[in-house]
Amino acid sequence: MLLFPASGRKVLPNALISGCRGCFPALPPDHPPGIIPGMGTLDQGKHDAASLTTPVQFLPGVGPRRAPLLERLGLRAAADVLFFFPRDYQDMTQLRAIVDLEEGKLQTVRGAVEEFELRGIGPGRSVLGVLIRSECGGHLRAIWFNQPFMRDKFARGRRVMLSGKPRRNGLFWEMSHPLVTQLADDETEPEGRILPAYPLTEGLQQWHVRRIVRGVLETHVGLLDEVFPDDYLAAHDLWPLVRALPAIHFPDSWEDLERARRRFVYQELFVLQLGLAIRRQRQRVNGQAPPMEVSAKIDARIRRRFPFELTEDQHRAIAEISADMARPVPMNRLLQGDVGSGKTIVAVYAMLAAVAHGYQAALMAPTEVLARQHALTLKRLLAGSQVQLCPLVGGLSPAARRDALASIAAGQVDLVVGTQAILQEDVVFAKLGLVVIDEQHKFGVRQRAALKQAALDPHYLVMTATPIPRTVTMTLFGDLDVSTLRASPPGRQKVHTYLAGDDQRDRWWDFFRRKLREGRQGYVVVPLVEESETIAAVSLDETYESLVNGPLEAFRVGLIHGRMTSDEKDAAMADFRSGEFQVLVSTSVVEVGIDVPNATLMTIENAERFGLAQLHQLRGRISRGRTPGYCAVFARTDSEEALERLKAFASTTDGFRLAEVDFTLRGPGELFGTRQHGLPPFRVADLLRDTEFLEEARRDAMALVAADPGLADARHAKLRRQMLARYGTVLELGDVG
Ligand code: ADP
Ligand code: MG
């Protein structure tokens, strides 16, 4: 039997389907009518035989039978087809005759199917072998493991192209898991070219789509309207649409493809940046906030309260914030700093500056536990001062709460500390001048807009300990100013992190106990397990029981989790803070912000269930004092991604570095899903690889908006129209122009 190799070599699935030089996401099924989903604008004026709005059914090569298939891909009109970007390309410049094949290099062979067979080789396992007779003579064998559905792609005599890295196996050249392209019987694809590979749907072959796209390009490209003025294109080295569009479908070279792609990526990012720039400018122009210039006297009065010298970064952040608050427009600033970098004190400065000017300030935390801690910190810092502080947290009696709200409304309270529930409730401030939002990273353009309406024009300071890659701050947070605390306060000790196996548990607990006896404290963190889950994760109660009856028998161990009442949580935290508890067993409620400097030990169970950012946050709990921290991470997983994450976690304590790793491992979509933030997804741009274009687009957009505020110039009308169609609603720019 010719088809199968003698030995069943193991092949990594998909390992050979590489060579993707430019992958575009598929077209989202819905897009607003009246604008072409990609990049052009409809020229409503031209309506001859060929029109951009021609339904696909009437395009050459489509007809009533194929039209529904195209519609399934989101293609309804001619314009949709023009902007149906390939998801990949096939390198026909590497088209080879069998005799010319070279081992291990990505090459393409064209021929007809001579034989094929699917064979079961065990439960759920199969191997498909296909023998191709090349048009230039000679045979090639292709094999697929465990992809029985691939069989449907082949029929005896059908013409196909296979792209992959061939290997010599006995008599034959062989490709494992090559990329397959169906060819029409009469199709002579031009050689020496790069062919597009489009997303397909059942019943539609690659060559159908290629033909349809090629046809529409010929008849319709001329109808498209360029959105950029000519001199803009020239000045920014961008290809015009009429040149870029054909080239992104059927490029003459890889260089041309890059040029064409550059045009579309730039445009996509530029249009978003225009929206952000206009929004930012409008806030400057329209928003009115109380100017609060910090005099030397106020500055000295505030700083006198601080128990330590500020770091350089803290000084700088404070200077940036003071400059913002001195202006009569709302500050809109993001303060990002790694866990433990000392953001709180910077926020306290801003709040006291507001109070010094007779305004109220609100500090909001994501959890009740953290809100209480902030209240405590503020109380200590403000001991003996006139500043009136009001913690607005759960557990207040209805009467106490009513009183608190009344004093806030009457302006008798200066500082309000609570969870973000403050926003939802009908808290009325007499004179709100500053809102500080702590530990906010799942926070999009939309929500911020909602906040703005909650209270009229206070200054805003948003803080996050999740370092945000610059590409993301430039897009999702594009209208925020950013201050960064990179360095930790002096004397901060590093945390040693161990990715430990179950066989190291005894040694770890020996060590843990020794440190407890030296006077240190520690956390044991267990992921939240739903009762419905049947997986092998340990639950909080089980862990607690097994510890107090086992390794930590001789120690005082407390418990804290999200389902406890506020008072119970409060009591547990207080007991841990005071040292009454030496160990705190907890769910991730201690994740954000908790600050107990004497706690230097942490055990994390089932660490595979935590994300990288979350792990880093957790570890941040034990890097607060002047003694080094020790963190052991136990995991039960075979998942390669999880292991890679944990290895990265153990290898560095640099939060910015970890954020980059996370970004690479999970991709920007997962991490900072644009949808979740209210922005429509990018169609061409890829935040991971297009950083450079992003910087460029941002600079250019800011410059254009500075030169032509509101894009009122007629030459920019098309850009403005496209920007509004895509981002007008989400960025609330509806009434621009
Ligand atoms: P985070 O940025 O994670 O919110 P915190 O504001 O909670 O960090 O600060 C972490 C710890 O560092 C706190 O105990 C705080 O008092 C302390 N700290 C902050 N700034 C300094 C400094 N300049 N010098 C010494 N300790 C500092
Ligand atoms: Mg904090």
Side-chain angles (χ1 to χ4, degrees):
M1 178 71 201
L2 289 175
L3 289 178
F4 295 102
S7 64
R9 257 188 307 115
K10 243 184 131 180
V11 180
L12 274 183
N14 293 323
L16 294 179
I17 310 179
S18 53
C20 163
R21 294 283 298 261
C23 300
F24 300 128
L27 188 77
D30 296 309
H31 51 80
I35 116 147
I36 299 170
M39 312 288 171
T41 49
L42 284 177
D43 183 348
Q44 305 287 4
K46 301 178 193 164
H47 262 302
D48 19 67
S51 154
L52 290 168
T53 52
T54 306
V56 284
Q57 177 176 348
F58 305 113
L59 297 174
V62 183
R65 211 166 44 80
R66 267 180 209 150
L69 301 179
L70 292 182
E71 273 166 32
R72 232 190 277 155
L73 292 170
L75 311 178
R76 285 180 285 272
D80 299 327
V81 176
L82 288 175
F83 289 94
F84 187 53
F85 292 127
R87 64 170 158 69
D88 201 353
Y89 296 86
Q90 196 164 25
D91 191 352
M92 296 297 294
T93 58
Q94 297 306 319
L95 188 64
R96 294 296 162 87
I98 300 289
V99 288
D100 296 332
L101 283 176
E102 288 175 75
E103 178 109 18
K105 271 193 177 170
L106 186 65
Q107 291 152 94
T108 299
V109 167
R110 193 167 64 195
V113 175
E114 199 162 275
E115 274 186 59
F116 63 102
E117 189 186 353
L118 178 68
R119 234 198 231 177
I121 51 170
R125 302 179 54 220
S126 67
V127 54
L128 170 70
V130 178
L131 194 68
I132 306 293
R133 185 168 34 77
S134 161
E135 284 165 7
C136 322
H139 286 85
L140 174 90
R141 182 165 54 200
I143 52 170
W144 284 266
F145 290 99
N146 307 326
Q147 298 190 8
F149 50 86
M150 285 298 291
R151 181 179 55 185
D152 302 339
K153 293 209 169 210
F154 300 100
R156 200 158 292 189
R158 180 174 287 177
R159 294 181 65 226
V160 292
M161 275 191 317
L162 302 179
S163 297
K165 295 178 180 171
R167 279 212 259 173
R168 195 81 201 179
N169 189 9
L171 277 178
F172 288 94
W173 283 103
E174 184 179 279
M175 284 184 187
S176 292
H177 298 236
L179 184 70
V180 185
T181 311
Q182 315 279 353
L183 298 177
D185 290 343
D186 58 345
E187 192 172 20
T188 43
E189 295 287 351
E191 293 185 20
R193 292 282 299 264
I194 298 155
L195 288 181
Y198 296 98
L200 295 175
T201 187
E202 173 98 45
L204 206 59
Q205 302 292 354
Q206 200 54 258
W207 63 268
H208 293 146
V209 185
R210 280 183 189 157
R211 236 178 230 185
I212 293 164
V213 173
R214 209 196 287 273
V216 178
L217 277 172
E218 271 162 28
T219 48
H220 287 70
V221 155
L223 302 178
L224 285 172
D225 242 3
E226 178 61 67
V227 292
F228 289 106
D230 286 348
D231 53 347
Y232 192 95
L233 290 171
H236 293 82
D237 193 25
L238 295 168
W239 273 7
L241 187 60
V242 287
R243 178 161 186 202
L245 199 59
I248 204 161
H249 288 286
F250 297 96
D252 284 331
S253 66
W254 293 112
E255 290 69 40
D256 278 8
L257 176 60
E258 274 312 305
R259 292 296 303 268
R261 187 175 178 275
R262 175 180 138 74
R263 140 93 206 202
F264 292 110
V265 171
Y266 178 90
Q267 184 178 343
E268 183 160 50
L269 296 172
F270 181 74
V271 167
L272 169 60
Q273 293 301 329
L274 277 183
L276 290 168
I278 287 179
R279 179 175 147 115
R280 183 189 177 101
Q281 195 185 45
R282 276 228 260 149
Q283 276 157 1
R284 295 251 157 93
V285 175
N286 300 343
Q288 284 190 1
M292 304 175 184
E293 186 143 14
V294 183
S295 65
K297 203 168 130 213
I298 295 176
D299 178 74
R301 226 165 64 209
I302 297 175
R303 287 180 197 251
R304 209 177 308 134
R305 300 224 150 252
F306 292 172
F308 37 67
E309 271 298 308
L310 297 186
T311 64
E312 276 307 307
D313 286 353
Q314 285 170 326
H315 282 305
R316 193 170 357 92
I318 284 175
E320 287 162 352
I321 289 168
S322 300
D324 284 356
M325 288 176 63
R327 284 193 311 225
V329 294
M331 166 168 73
N332 207 8
R333 187 167 285 276
L334 173 71
L335 174 61
Q336 62 166 346
D338 210 343
V339 278
S341 58
K343 295 182 290 296
T344 315
I345 204 79
V346 175
V348 170
Y349 185 99
M351 291 192 285
L352 293 182
V355 173
H357 283 86
Y359 285 90
Q360 294 171 304
L363 170 59
M364 290 180 289
T367 65
E368 190 79 30
V369 176
L370 187 52
R372 279 162 197 269
Q373 177 185 288
H374 279 325
L376 206 66
T377 306
L378 280 167
K379 206 167 125 194
R380 278 198 207 124
L381 285 172
L382 297 174
S385 84
Q386 313 251 299
V387 178
Q388 290 300 311
L389 171 71
C390 174
L392 205 57
V393 287
L396 291 181
S397 73
R401 192 174 174 80
R402 222 175 310 120
D403 282 354
L405 293 180
S407 342
I408 297 170
Q412 290 149 356
V413 165
D414 301 305
L415 298 180
V416 179
V417 182
T419 64
Q420 278 149 31
I422 292 182
L423 286 177
Q424 273 93 59
E425 295 159 13
D426 47 356
V427 183
V428 180
F429 290 87
K431 231 182 152 190
L432 184 61
L434 171 72
V435 175
V436 180
I437 301 162
D438 193 16
E439 300 293 353
Q440 183 57 279
H441 41 274
K442 289 181 195 130
F443 196 63
V445 206
R446 263 269 159 77
Q447 288 99 312
R448 254 186 300 124
L451 267 182
K452 293 244 167 255
Q453 287 155 11
L456 191 67
D457 290 347
H459 293 287
Y460 273 91
L461 180 64
V462 177
M463 306 201 286
T464 177
T466 304
I468 304 171
R470 202 172 138 61
T471 44
V472 178
T473 52
M474 276 195 292
T475 46
L476 301 178
F477 300 89
D479 58 340
L480 284 179
D481 297 299
V482 181
S483 295
T484 304
L485 304 183
R486 238 188 192 277
S488 301
R492 196 52 62 72
Q493 293 289 323
K494 92 177 235 118
V495 179
H496 305 270
T497 308
Y498 312 95
L499 182 52
D502 273 334
D503 53 336
Q504 286 158 300
R505 273 182 195 275
D506 290 347
R507 267 183 61 203
W508 169 248
W509 287 121
D510 275 345
F511 176 81
F512 201 100
R513 283 190 294 262
R514 200 169 78 229
K515 288 287 166 190
L516 291 179
R517 279 189 219 103
E518 286 171 12
R520 303 283 82 78
Q521 291 170 276
Y523 300 92
V524 179
V525 182
V526 182
L528 191 64
V529 180
E530 295 299 327
E531 281 171 30
S532 57
E533 286 186 75
T534 52
I535 41 98
V538 286
S539 78
L540 190 69
D541 292 336
E542 271 172 58
T543 306
Y544 180 79
E545 288 301 322
S546 71
L547 288 175
V548 295
N549 295 310
L552 298 180
E553 206 173 359
F555 299 88
R556 301 182 302 275
V557 182
L559 187 66
I560 189 170
H561 56 79
R563 289 194 198 130
M564 289 162 75
T565 67
S566 315
D567 284 346
E568 289 167 339
K569 275 189 270 190
D570 231 12
M573 266 331 289
D575 284 346
F576 187 58
R577 225 182 274 283
S578 71
E580 177 59 33
F581 289 145
Q582 293 165 289
V583 180
L584 194 61
V585 179
S586 82
T587 54
S588 58
V589 291
V590 297
E591 172 184 343
V592 281
I594 294 300
D595 185 27
V596 180
N598 190 44
T600 59
L601 303 163
M602 180 171 282
T603 309
I604 304 178
E605 295 286 352
N606 289 105
E608 74 281 1
R609 310 192 113 220
F610 295 107
L612 202 41
Q614 213 179 0
L615 288 168
H616 184 60
Q617 282 287 328
L618 285 168
R619 179 169 59 184
R621 301 311 112 221
I622 55 165
S623 63
R624 322 228 116 211
R626 294 186 168 266
T627 35
Y630 299 92
C631 176
V633 172
F634 294 94
R636 297 177 182 178
T637 179
D638 297 325
S639 148
E640 236 167 86
E641 202 227 280
L643 284 173
E644 204 165 326
R645 198 164 65 217
L646 295 174
K647 268 188 223 150
F649 175 62
S651 72
T652 179
T653 51
D654 180 345
F656 283 86
R657 177 80 205 95
L658 289 174
E660 298 289 345
V661 171
D662 213 15
F663 196 51
T664 326
L665 278 179
R666 295 163 63 200
E670 273 275 318
L671 197 52
F672 298 95
T674 46
R675 217 180 294 262
Q676 157 194 341
H677 287 81
L679 293 178
F682 290 127
R683 301 203 40 240
V684 195
D686 171 346
L687 288 185
L688 270 180
R689 52 184 267 183
D690 296 326
T691 323
E692 238 172 85
F693 293 155
L694 180 58
E695 303 256 4
E696 193 186 341
R698 180 168 176 79
R699 255 194 332 267
D700 295 350
M702 302 237 254
L704 189 68
V705 170
D708 177 15
L711 302 181
D713 188 330
R715 288 154 31 89
H716 302 142
K718 286 172 197 154
L719 277 172
R720 196 188 61 204
R721 210 187 320 149
Q722 186 161 111
M723 184 275 292
L724 286 177
R726 200 158 164 78
Y727 298 110
T729 309
V730 64
L731 294 180
E732 301 183 311
L733 300 172
D735 54 330
V736 169

